[in-house]
Amino acid sequence: MDEVAEVGGRDVSLEGEDHPAGHHQKRPRSKQAARRFVRLERLPEFRTIGFGELKNIKHALKRPLSGYIGGKAQAGYWCTRLADEWSDTFGCKYAVPCNSATSGLLAACMAADIGEGDEVWVSDYTMSASATCAIMLGARVEFIDIDPVYFSMAWLKHPLKQRGPKAIIVTNLFGCPADLHKLREACDQSGIVLIEDNAQAPFATCEGVYAGTIGHIGVFSLNVHKHIQCGEGGVIVTDDAAIAHRLDCAINHGELMRTNPHLGLNLRMTEPIAAIASAQLKRGSSIVQSRINLAHQITSCFEGIDWIEPPAVRPGCEHVYYLWAGKIKGEQPSQCRDDFLARLEGRGVPFRKGYSPPLHRILGGSSDFSNAYSVTNEMEDERLFVFEICAYDPKAHHLKAMKDLIQWSAEETSHAD
């Protein structure tokens, strides 16, 4: 059986003259033949937990692990501190920590008074929680197709004055802000609540304003797979005092409102988790910048491959790249994508096709819009492929090896066509 030389830890000659310890192989006859023997070594994982988080945890463990008391508008030291730091960092008036972004989306819908029979618009291409938060409250969710460039909700195809959703939940997908200012203006004119699912876009900006703070309510994620994380957690933001009060009620059993009480649950964040989140936020901007830098390096690996389109950045916005999302151009993209990604997989380069099943397939969409999900279906089934920017932390030698392997795989795919 042919042995495989791993690249990334050290340079491996295409002629097979230099091999890692323990590998012995015959010299291939050509550079093309040598490529069959080359595989990328396992990439380092992206880890950000360090001394600051450990120091905060030690401090938090000396206090009660939760500072919430039913029926009282108070939280513990670390949750209060995190809320204040989050508001200061992102320039919003109110921040409410919670136990996950999924809980945050549910609380946002509760604060927006979404209930039985209300219509809510959600992107068809997003994580399921963006829709289930409204569905669980009895709302009727209308899935909206995406635009093919930035993958955000193509809401302009459906004028808001002709249809009346109570709320729109817009996702800043992959770290790229949606067309937020225009959408907020349209929602204000039509009396619609705009909720931003900003789980994938912390520190992204749209015309100089942080994504997540442009809608009436924004939800950030602190899940372990995100840019900044505390294992599980989220933060909800708003500039509206009444909404902030309803958010506080939603996460704390609804007991803060003595008259006309709003229903609530226990969606609260604990003190040790808030302590970790506080340390992560302190380094948040630099952590996110490291992911932006990596995305740019991944894009450089595709230089000269004219049938691949790297991620687009919306004018006036900063993309923070939760995922690097490229597209296959041209005709018969599905066959080309399958061939290309199979070659990358065989060489250990961790790209994958698609993102997530469109929500109309999971949750049973029944849109009234004609040709409702054509772009979403095309991206997921034929064109889109991604690299998990927040999962890996490749070093310079890994990236050099990745570029070679990507270029070889692209060349072979082109020749196969």
Short mmCIF file of all heavy atoms in Angstrom, two decimals, residues 245-307:
data_model
loop_
_atom_site.label_atom_id
_atom_site.label_comp_id
_atom_site.label_asym_id
_atom_site.label_seq_id
_atom_site.Cartn_x
_atom_site.Cartn_y
_atom_site.Cartn_z
N HIS A 245 -36.55 45.80 29.98
CA HIS A 245 -37.27 45.28 31.14
C HIS A 245 -37.96 43.96 30.81
O HIS A 245 -37.93 43.02 31.62
CB HIS A 245 -38.30 46.31 31.62
CG HIS A 245 -39.04 45.87 32.85
ND1 HIS A 245 -38.44 45.64 34.05
CD2 HIS A 245 -40.37 45.62 33.05
CE1 HIS A 245 -39.33 45.25 34.95
NE2 HIS A 245 -40.52 45.24 34.35
N ARG A 246 -38.55 43.87 29.63
CA ARG A 246 -39.20 42.62 29.24
C ARG A 246 -38.18 41.50 29.05
O ARG A 246 -38.48 40.32 29.31
CB ARG A 246 -40.04 42.82 27.97
CG ARG A 246 -41.23 43.74 28.18
CD ARG A 246 -42.26 43.61 27.07
NE ARG A 246 -41.79 44.14 25.80
CZ ARG A 246 -41.94 45.39 25.41
NH1 ARG A 246 -42.53 46.27 26.21
NH2 ARG A 246 -41.51 45.78 24.23
N LEU A 247 -36.99 41.84 28.57
CA LEU A 247 -35.92 40.84 28.47
C LEU A 247 -35.52 40.32 29.85
O LEU A 247 -35.33 39.11 30.04
CB LEU A 247 -34.70 41.43 27.77
CG LEU A 247 -34.83 41.71 26.28
CD1 LEU A 247 -33.63 42.51 25.77
CD2 LEU A 247 -34.97 40.41 25.48
N ASP A 248 -35.39 41.24 30.81
CA ASP A 248 -35.08 40.83 32.18
C ASP A 248 -36.15 39.89 32.72
O ASP A 248 -35.85 38.91 33.43
CB ASP A 248 -34.97 42.06 33.09
CG ASP A 248 -33.66 42.82 32.89
OD1 ASP A 248 -32.66 42.19 32.49
OD2 ASP A 248 -33.64 44.04 33.13
N CYS A 249 -37.40 40.19 32.41
CA CYS A 249 -38.50 39.32 32.84
C CYS A 249 -38.41 37.95 32.16
O CYS A 249 -38.60 36.91 32.81
CB CYS A 249 -39.84 39.97 32.53
SG CYS A 249 -40.22 41.41 33.51
N ALA A 250 -38.14 37.96 30.87
CA ALA A 250 -38.14 36.71 30.10
C ALA A 250 -37.10 35.73 30.62
O ALA A 250 -37.33 34.53 30.63
CB ALA A 250 -37.88 37.01 28.63
N ILE A 251 -35.93 36.23 31.04
CA ILE A 251 -34.88 35.31 31.49
C ILE A 251 -35.00 34.95 32.96
O ILE A 251 -34.32 34.05 33.44
CB ILE A 251 -33.47 35.89 31.23
CG1 ILE A 251 -33.19 37.07 32.15
CG2 ILE A 251 -33.29 36.26 29.77
CD1 ILE A 251 -31.70 37.34 32.33
N ASN A 252 -35.89 35.62 33.69
CA ASN A 252 -35.95 35.44 35.14
C ASN A 252 -37.39 35.19 35.60
O ASN A 252 -37.92 35.89 36.45
CB ASN A 252 -35.35 36.66 35.85
CG ASN A 252 -35.08 36.43 37.32
OD1 ASN A 252 -35.06 35.29 37.78
ND2 ASN A 252 -34.87 37.50 38.06
N HIS A 253 -38.01 34.19 34.98
CA HIS A 253 -39.32 33.68 35.40
C HIS A 253 -40.48 34.64 35.20
O HIS A 253 -41.61 34.33 35.59
CB HIS A 253 -39.30 33.25 36.87
CG HIS A 253 -38.30 32.19 37.20
ND1 HIS A 253 -38.40 30.90 36.73
CD2 HIS A 253 -37.15 32.24 37.92
CE1 HIS A 253 -37.37 30.19 37.18
NE2 HIS A 253 -36.59 30.98 37.89
N GLY A 254 -40.24 35.82 34.65
CA GLY A 254 -41.33 36.78 34.46
C GLY A 254 -41.83 37.40 35.74
O GLY A 254 -42.87 38.06 35.74
N GLU A 255 -41.07 37.26 36.82
CA GLU A 255 -41.57 37.69 38.12
C GLU A 255 -41.31 39.16 38.44
O GLU A 255 -41.73 39.67 39.47
CB GLU A 255 -40.95 36.83 39.22
CG GLU A 255 -41.37 35.37 39.13
CD GLU A 255 -40.64 34.50 40.14
OE1 GLU A 255 -39.65 34.97 40.71
OE2 GLU A 255 -41.07 33.36 40.35
N LEU A 256 -40.59 39.85 37.55
CA LEU A 256 -40.28 41.25 37.83
C LEU A 256 -41.46 42.17 37.56
O LEU A 256 -41.49 43.30 38.05
CB LEU A 256 -39.09 41.71 36.99
CG LEU A 256 -37.78 40.93 37.18
CD1 LEU A 256 -36.70 41.53 36.31
CD2 LEU A 256 -37.37 40.97 38.64
N MET A 257 -42.43 41.70 36.80
CA MET A 257 -43.57 42.53 36.41
C MET A 257 -44.78 42.13 37.25
O MET A 257 -45.38 41.08 37.05
CB MET A 257 -43.86 42.35 34.91
CG MET A 257 -44.73 43.42 34.31
SD MET A 257 -44.76 43.35 32.50
CE MET A 257 -43.16 44.02 32.11
N ARG A 258 -45.10 42.96 38.22
CA ARG A 258 -46.16 42.61 39.17
C ARG A 258 -47.55 42.76 38.56
O ARG A 258 -48.49 42.07 38.96
CB ARG A 258 -46.03 43.51 40.41
CG ARG A 258 -44.73 43.32 41.17
CD ARG A 258 -44.57 41.89 41.65
NE ARG A 258 -43.39 41.72 42.46
CZ ARG A 258 -42.97 40.55 42.93
NH1 ARG A 258 -43.67 39.45 42.66
NH2 ARG A 258 -41.89 40.47 43.66
N THR A 259 -47.69 43.71 37.65
CA THR A 259 -48.98 43.86 36.96
C THR A 259 -48.77 43.53 35.50
O THR A 259 -47.71 43.81 34.93
CB THR A 259 -49.50 45.30 37.09
OG1 THR A 259 -48.56 46.22 36.52
CG2 THR A 259 -49.72 45.66 38.56
N ASN A 260 -49.78 42.95 34.88
CA ASN A 260 -49.64 42.48 33.50
C ASN A 260 -48.38 41.65 33.31
O ASN A 260 -47.53 41.96 32.47
CB ASN A 260 -49.60 43.65 32.52
CG ASN A 260 -50.99 44.10 32.13
OD1 ASN A 260 -51.93 43.32 32.16
ND2 ASN A 260 -51.10 45.36 31.78
N PRO A 261 -48.16 40.62 34.11
CA PRO A 261 -46.90 39.89 34.07
C PRO A 261 -46.68 39.20 32.72
O PRO A 261 -47.61 38.66 32.13
CB PRO A 261 -47.06 38.85 35.18
CG PRO A 261 -48.53 38.67 35.33
CD PRO A 261 -49.12 40.02 35.04
N HIS A 262 -45.46 39.27 32.24
CA HIS A 262 -45.06 38.53 31.05
C HIS A 262 -44.52 37.18 31.51
O HIS A 262 -43.84 37.07 32.53
CB HIS A 262 -43.97 39.28 30.28
CG HIS A 262 -44.49 40.40 29.45
ND1 HIS A 262 -45.06 41.53 30.00
CD2 HIS A 262 -44.53 40.56 28.11
CE1 HIS A 262 -45.42 42.34 29.02
NE2 HIS A 262 -45.11 41.80 27.87
N LEU A 263 -44.83 36.15 30.74
CA LEU A 263 -44.29 34.85 31.08
C LEU A 263 -42.77 34.87 30.93
O LEU A 263 -42.21 35.58 30.09
CB LEU A 263 -44.89 33.78 30.17
CG LEU A 263 -46.39 33.54 30.29
CD1 LEU A 263 -46.82 32.48 29.28
CD2 LEU A 263 -46.75 33.10 31.71
N GLY A 264 -42.10 34.07 31.73
CA GLY A 264 -40.65 33.99 31.65
C GLY A 264 -40.17 32.60 32.03
O GLY A 264 -40.94 31.76 32.51
N LEU A 265 -38.90 32.37 31.80
CA LEU A 265 -38.27 31.10 32.13
C LEU A 265 -36.98 31.38 32.88
O LEU A 265 -36.58 32.53 33.07
CB LEU A 265 -37.96 30.32 30.84
CG LEU A 265 -39.15 29.93 29.97
CD1 LEU A 265 -38.66 29.48 28.59
CD2 LEU A 265 -39.95 28.82 30.64
N ASN A 266 -36.30 30.33 33.30
CA ASN A 266 -34.96 30.49 33.86
C ASN A 266 -33.96 30.36 32.73
O ASN A 266 -33.56 29.25 32.35
CB ASN A 266 -34.70 29.45 34.95
CG ASN A 266 -33.33 29.64 35.58
OD1 ASN A 266 -32.52 30.44 35.11
ND2 ASN A 266 -33.08 28.92 36.65
N LEU A 267 -33.59 31.49 32.14
CA LEU A 267 -32.63 31.53 31.04
C LEU A 267 -31.37 32.27 31.48
O LEU A 267 -30.63 32.80 30.66
CB LEU A 267 -33.25 32.23 29.82
CG LEU A 267 -34.61 31.71 29.37
CD1 LEU A 267 -35.14 32.55 28.20
CD2 LEU A 267 -34.55 30.24 28.98
N ARG A 268 -31.11 32.27 32.79
CA ARG A 268 -30.08 33.12 33.37
C ARG A 268 -28.67 32.53 33.19
O ARG A 268 -28.49 31.32 33.11
CB ARG A 268 -30.37 33.32 34.86
CG ARG A 268 -31.76 33.85 35.11
CD ARG A 268 -32.15 33.95 36.57
NE ARG A 268 -32.03 32.70 37.30
CZ ARG A 268 -32.77 32.39 38.36
NH1 ARG A 268 -33.68 33.25 38.81
NH2 ARG A 268 -32.60 31.26 38.98
N MET A 269 -27.71 33.41 33.16
CA MET A 269 -26.30 33.03 33.12
C MET A 269 -25.77 32.90 34.54
O MET A 269 -26.12 33.71 35.42
CB MET A 269 -25.49 34.07 32.34
CG MET A 269 -24.00 33.76 32.22
SD MET A 269 -23.07 35.03 31.31
CE MET A 269 -23.49 34.59 29.63
N THR A 270 -24.91 31.93 34.77
CA THR A 270 -24.32 31.77 36.10
C THR A 270 -23.06 32.64 36.22
O THR A 270 -22.48 33.09 35.23
CB THR A 270 -23.95 30.31 36.37
OG1 THR A 270 -22.96 29.89 35.42
CG2 THR A 270 -25.17 29.41 36.26
N GLU A 271 -22.61 32.85 37.45
CA GLU A 271 -21.48 33.73 37.71
C GLU A 271 -20.15 33.22 37.12
O GLU A 271 -19.42 34.00 36.51
CB GLU A 271 -21.33 33.94 39.22
CG GLU A 271 -22.43 34.80 39.82
CD GLU A 271 -22.29 36.25 39.37
OE1 GLU A 271 -21.47 36.99 39.95
OE2 GLU A 271 -23.00 36.64 38.43
N PRO A 272 -19.80 31.93 37.27
CA PRO A 272 -18.53 31.50 36.67
C PRO A 272 -18.50 31.66 35.15
O PRO A 272 -17.47 32.01 34.57
CB PRO A 272 -18.44 30.02 37.08
CG PRO A 272 -19.28 29.90 38.30
CD PRO A 272 -20.40 30.86 38.08
N ILE A 273 -19.64 31.42 34.51
CA ILE A 273 -19.71 31.58 33.05
C ILE A 273 -19.55 33.04 32.67
O ILE A 273 -18.84 33.39 31.71
CB ILE A 273 -21.04 31.01 32.52
CG1 ILE A 273 -21.09 29.49 32.74
CG2 ILE A 273 -21.22 31.33 31.05
CD1 ILE A 273 -19.97 28.72 32.07
N ALA A 274 -20.19 33.93 33.42
CA ALA A 274 -20.04 35.36 33.16
C ALA A 274 -18.61 35.81 33.38
O ALA A 274 -18.11 36.70 32.67
CB ALA A 274 -21.00 36.16 34.04
N ALA A 275 -17.92 35.22 34.34
CA ALA A 275 -16.52 35.58 34.60
C ALA A 275 -15.64 35.21 33.41
O ALA A 275 -14.75 35.98 33.01
CB ALA A 275 -16.04 34.87 35.86
N ILE A 276 -15.88 34.03 32.83
CA ILE A 276 -15.14 33.64 31.63
C ILE A 276 -15.46 34.59 30.48
O ILE A 276 -14.57 35.06 29.76
CB ILE A 276 -15.49 32.19 31.23
CG1 ILE A 276 -15.05 31.21 32.31
CG2 ILE A 276 -14.83 31.83 29.90
CD1 ILE A 276 -15.53 29.79 32.07
N ALA A 277 -16.74 34.89 30.30
CA ALA A 277 -17.16 35.77 29.20
C ALA A 277 -16.54 37.15 29.33
O ALA A 277 -16.16 37.77 28.34
CB ALA A 277 -18.69 35.87 29.18
N SER A 278 -16.41 37.65 30.56
CA SER A 278 -15.81 38.96 30.78
C SER A 278 -14.35 38.98 30.32
O SER A 278 -13.91 39.94 29.67
CB SER A 278 -15.89 39.33 32.27
OG SER A 278 -15.21 40.53 32.54
N ALA A 279 -13.61 37.93 30.64
CA ALA A 279 -12.22 37.85 30.20
C ALA A 279 -12.12 37.73 28.68
O ALA A 279 -11.24 38.32 28.05
CB ALA A 279 -11.54 36.67 30.88
N GLN A 280 -13.02 36.97 28.08
CA GLN A 280 -13.02 36.83 26.63
C GLN A 280 -13.34 38.16 25.94
O GLN A 280 -12.71 38.53 24.95
CB GLN A 280 -14.06 35.78 26.21
CG GLN A 280 -13.65 34.35 26.51
CD GLN A 280 -12.82 33.75 25.38
OE1 GLN A 280 -13.31 33.51 24.29
NE2 GLN A 280 -11.54 33.51 25.67
N LEU A 281 -14.31 38.89 26.48
CA LEU A 281 -14.69 40.16 25.88
C LEU A 281 -13.53 41.15 25.92
O LEU A 281 -13.34 41.92 24.97
CB LEU A 281 -15.90 40.75 26.62
CG LEU A 281 -16.42 42.09 26.09
CD1 LEU A 281 -16.90 41.97 24.65
CD2 LEU A 281 -17.54 42.61 26.99
N LYS A 282 -12.75 41.12 26.98
CA LYS A 282 -11.61 42.02 27.11
C LYS A 282 -10.63 41.85 25.95
O LYS A 282 -10.01 42.80 25.49
CB LYS A 282 -10.90 41.76 28.44
CG LYS A 282 -9.81 42.77 28.77
CD LYS A 282 -9.26 42.53 30.16
CE LYS A 282 -8.19 43.56 30.52
NZ LYS A 282 -7.64 43.34 31.89
N ARG A 283 -10.51 40.60 25.46
CA ARG A 283 -9.61 40.31 24.33
C ARG A 283 -10.39 40.11 23.03
O ARG A 283 -9.82 39.68 22.02
CB ARG A 283 -8.80 39.04 24.63
CG ARG A 283 -7.87 39.19 25.81
CD ARG A 283 -6.98 37.97 25.98
NE ARG A 283 -7.73 36.80 26.36
CZ ARG A 283 -7.80 35.67 25.65
NH1 ARG A 283 -7.18 35.59 24.49
NH2 ARG A 283 -8.50 34.65 26.10
N GLY A 284 -11.68 40.42 23.07
CA GLY A 284 -12.55 40.08 21.95
C GLY A 284 -12.12 40.65 20.62
O GLY A 284 -12.10 39.95 19.61
N SER A 285 -11.76 41.92 20.61
CA SER A 285 -11.39 42.56 19.35
C SER A 285 -10.16 41.90 18.73
O SER A 285 -10.12 41.66 17.51
CB SER A 285 -11.13 44.05 19.58
OG SER A 285 -10.82 44.69 18.37
N SER A 286 -9.16 41.59 19.54
CA SER A 286 -7.95 40.96 19.01
C SER A 286 -8.21 39.52 18.58
O SER A 286 -7.64 39.05 17.58
CB SER A 286 -6.82 41.01 20.04
OG SER A 286 -7.16 40.30 21.22
N ILE A 287 -9.07 38.82 19.31
CA ILE A 287 -9.43 37.45 18.92
C ILE A 287 -10.11 37.46 17.56
O ILE A 287 -9.78 36.68 16.66
CB ILE A 287 -10.33 36.79 19.99
CG1 ILE A 287 -9.54 36.53 21.27
CG2 ILE A 287 -10.93 35.49 19.46
CD1 ILE A 287 -10.40 36.07 22.43
N VAL A 288 -11.07 38.36 17.39
CA VAL A 288 -11.80 38.44 16.12
C VAL A 288 -10.86 38.84 15.00
O VAL A 288 -10.93 38.31 13.88
CB VAL A 288 -12.98 39.42 16.25
CG1 VAL A 288 -13.58 39.73 14.88
CG2 VAL A 288 -14.05 38.84 17.18
N GLN A 289 -9.94 39.77 15.27
CA GLN A 289 -9.00 40.18 14.23
C GLN A 289 -8.13 39.02 13.77
O GLN A 289 -7.80 38.91 12.57
CB GLN A 289 -8.10 41.31 14.74
CG GLN A 289 -7.20 41.91 13.67
CD GLN A 289 -7.97 42.50 12.51
OE1 GLN A 289 -8.86 43.34 12.70
NE2 GLN A 289 -7.66 42.09 11.29
N SER A 290 -7.79 38.12 14.69
CA SER A 290 -7.01 36.94 14.29
C SER A 290 -7.78 36.06 13.32
O SER A 290 -7.21 35.43 12.42
CB SER A 290 -6.59 36.13 15.52
OG SER A 290 -7.68 35.37 16.05
N ARG A 291 -9.11 36.02 13.47
CA ARG A 291 -9.95 35.22 12.56
C ARG A 291 -10.07 35.92 11.20
O ARG A 291 -10.12 35.25 10.16
CB ARG A 291 -11.34 34.99 13.16
CG ARG A 291 -11.36 34.25 14.51
CD ARG A 291 -10.69 32.89 14.41
NE ARG A 291 -9.27 32.97 14.71
CZ ARG A 291 -8.40 31.99 14.46
NH1 ARG A 291 -8.80 30.88 13.87
NH2 ARG A 291 -7.12 32.13 14.77
N ILE A 292 -10.15 37.24 11.22
CA ILE A 292 -10.18 37.98 9.96
C ILE A 292 -8.89 37.74 9.19
O ILE A 292 -8.90 37.49 7.97
CB ILE A 292 -10.40 39.48 10.22
CG1 ILE A 292 -11.77 39.73 10.87
CG2 ILE A 292 -10.26 40.29 8.93
CD1 ILE A 292 -11.97 41.16 11.34
N ASN A 293 -7.77 37.81 9.91
CA ASN A 293 -6.47 37.59 9.26
C ASN A 293 -6.40 36.19 8.66
O ASN A 293 -5.89 36.01 7.53
CB ASN A 293 -5.34 37.79 10.26
CG ASN A 293 -5.24 39.22 10.76
OD1 ASN A 293 -5.79 40.14 10.16
ND2 ASN A 293 -4.55 39.41 11.87
N LEU A 294 -6.88 35.20 9.39
CA LEU A 294 -6.86 33.83 8.88
C LEU A 294 -7.72 33.70 7.63
O LEU A 294 -7.32 33.06 6.65
CB LEU A 294 -7.34 32.84 9.96
CG LEU A 294 -7.48 31.39 9.51
CD1 LEU A 294 -6.18 30.84 8.95
CD2 LEU A 294 -8.00 30.52 10.66
N ALA A 295 -8.90 34.33 7.64
CA ALA A 295 -9.77 34.25 6.47
C ALA A 295 -9.09 34.83 5.24
O ALA A 295 -9.20 34.29 4.13
CB ALA A 295 -11.08 34.99 6.75
N HIS A 296 -8.38 35.95 5.41
CA HIS A 296 -7.66 36.54 4.29
C HIS A 296 -6.57 35.60 3.78
O HIS A 296 -6.33 35.50 2.56
CB HIS A 296 -7.06 37.87 4.70
CG HIS A 296 -8.07 38.93 4.98
ND1 HIS A 296 -7.77 40.11 5.63
CD2 HIS A 296 -9.40 38.99 4.71
CE1 HIS A 296 -8.86 40.85 5.73
NE2 HIS A 296 -9.87 40.19 5.19
N GLN A 297 -5.92 34.88 4.70
CA GLN A 297 -4.89 33.93 4.29
C GLN A 297 -5.51 32.74 3.55
O GLN A 297 -4.92 32.24 2.59
CB GLN A 297 -4.12 33.46 5.52
CG GLN A 297 -3.25 34.55 6.14
CD GLN A 297 -2.69 34.15 7.49
OE1 GLN A 297 -3.39 33.62 8.35
NE2 GLN A 297 -1.40 34.41 7.70
N ILE A 298 -6.68 32.31 3.99
CA ILE A 298 -7.37 31.23 3.28
C ILE A 298 -7.74 31.69 1.87
O ILE A 298 -7.57 30.96 0.89
CB ILE A 298 -8.62 30.77 4.05
CG1 ILE A 298 -8.24 30.17 5.41
CG2 ILE A 298 -9.42 29.77 3.23
CD1 ILE A 298 -7.38 28.92 5.33
N THR A 299 -8.23 32.92 1.76
CA THR A 299 -8.56 33.45 0.43
C THR A 299 -7.33 33.45 -0.48
O THR A 299 -7.43 33.11 -1.67
CB THR A 299 -9.11 34.88 0.56
OG1 THR A 299 -10.38 34.83 1.25
CG2 THR A 299 -9.33 35.53 -0.80
N SER A 300 -6.17 33.78 0.06
CA SER A 300 -4.95 33.81 -0.75
C SER A 300 -4.59 32.43 -1.28
O SER A 300 -3.89 32.32 -2.30
CB SER A 300 -3.79 34.40 0.04
OG SER A 300 -3.34 33.50 1.04
N CYS A 301 -5.04 31.39 -0.62
CA CYS A 301 -4.78 30.01 -1.09
C CYS A 301 -5.48 29.73 -2.42
O CYS A 301 -5.11 28.79 -3.12
CB CYS A 301 -5.23 29.00 -0.05
SG CYS A 301 -4.26 28.98 1.47
N PHE A 302 -6.49 30.53 -2.76
CA PHE A 302 -7.27 30.29 -3.97
C PHE A 302 -6.91 31.25 -5.11
O PHE A 302 -7.62 31.30 -6.11
CB PHE A 302 -8.76 30.41 -3.64
CG PHE A 302 -9.28 29.29 -2.78
CD1 PHE A 302 -9.18 29.35 -1.40
CD2 PHE A 302 -9.85 28.17 -3.35
CE1 PHE A 302 -9.64 28.32 -0.60
CE2 PHE A 302 -10.33 27.12 -2.56
CZ PHE A 302 -10.21 27.20 -1.19
N GLU A 303 -5.83 31.98 -4.95
CA GLU A 303 -5.41 32.92 -5.99
C GLU A 303 -5.20 32.19 -7.32
O GLU A 303 -4.57 31.14 -7.37
CB GLU A 303 -4.13 33.64 -5.58
CG GLU A 303 -4.32 34.62 -4.44
CD GLU A 303 -3.01 35.23 -3.97
OE1 GLU A 303 -1.93 34.76 -4.43
OE2 GLU A 303 -3.05 36.16 -3.15
N GLY A 304 -5.75 32.77 -8.38
CA GLY A 304 -5.57 32.21 -9.70
C GLY A 304 -6.57 31.13 -10.08
O GLY A 304 -6.55 30.65 -11.21
N ILE A 305 -7.43 30.74 -9.17
CA ILE A 305 -8.46 29.73 -9.48
C ILE A 305 -9.72 30.48 -9.87
O ILE A 305 -10.49 30.93 -9.01
CB ILE A 305 -8.70 28.79 -8.28
CG1 ILE A 305 -7.39 28.18 -7.80
CG2 ILE A 305 -9.69 27.69 -8.67
CD1 ILE A 305 -7.54 27.36 -6.52
N ASP A 306 -9.94 30.64 -11.15
CA ASP A 306 -10.98 31.56 -11.61
C ASP A 306 -12.39 31.02 -11.48
O ASP A 306 -13.36 31.76 -11.65
CB ASP A 306 -10.70 32.02 -13.04
CG ASP A 306 -10.64 30.86 -14.04
OD1 ASP A 306 -10.94 29.71 -13.66
OD2 ASP A 306 -10.27 31.11 -15.21
N TRP A 307 -12.54 29.73 -11.20
CA TRP A 307 -13.88 29.17 -11.06
C TRP A 307 -14.32 29.06 -9.60
O TRP A 307 -15.35 28.48 -9.29
CB TRP A 307 -13.98 27.81 -11.75
CG TRP A 307 -12.86 26.85 -11.46
CD1 TRP A 307 -11.68 26.72 -12.16
CD2 TRP A 307 -12.79 25.88 -10.41
NE1 TRP A 307 -10.90 25.73 -11.61
CE2 TRP A 307 -11.57 25.20 -10.54
CE3 TRP A 307 -13.66 25.52 -9.38
CZ2 TRP A 307 -11.17 24.19 -9.66
CZ3 TRP A 307 -13.29 24.52 -8.51
CH2 TRP A 307 -12.06 23.85 -8.66
#
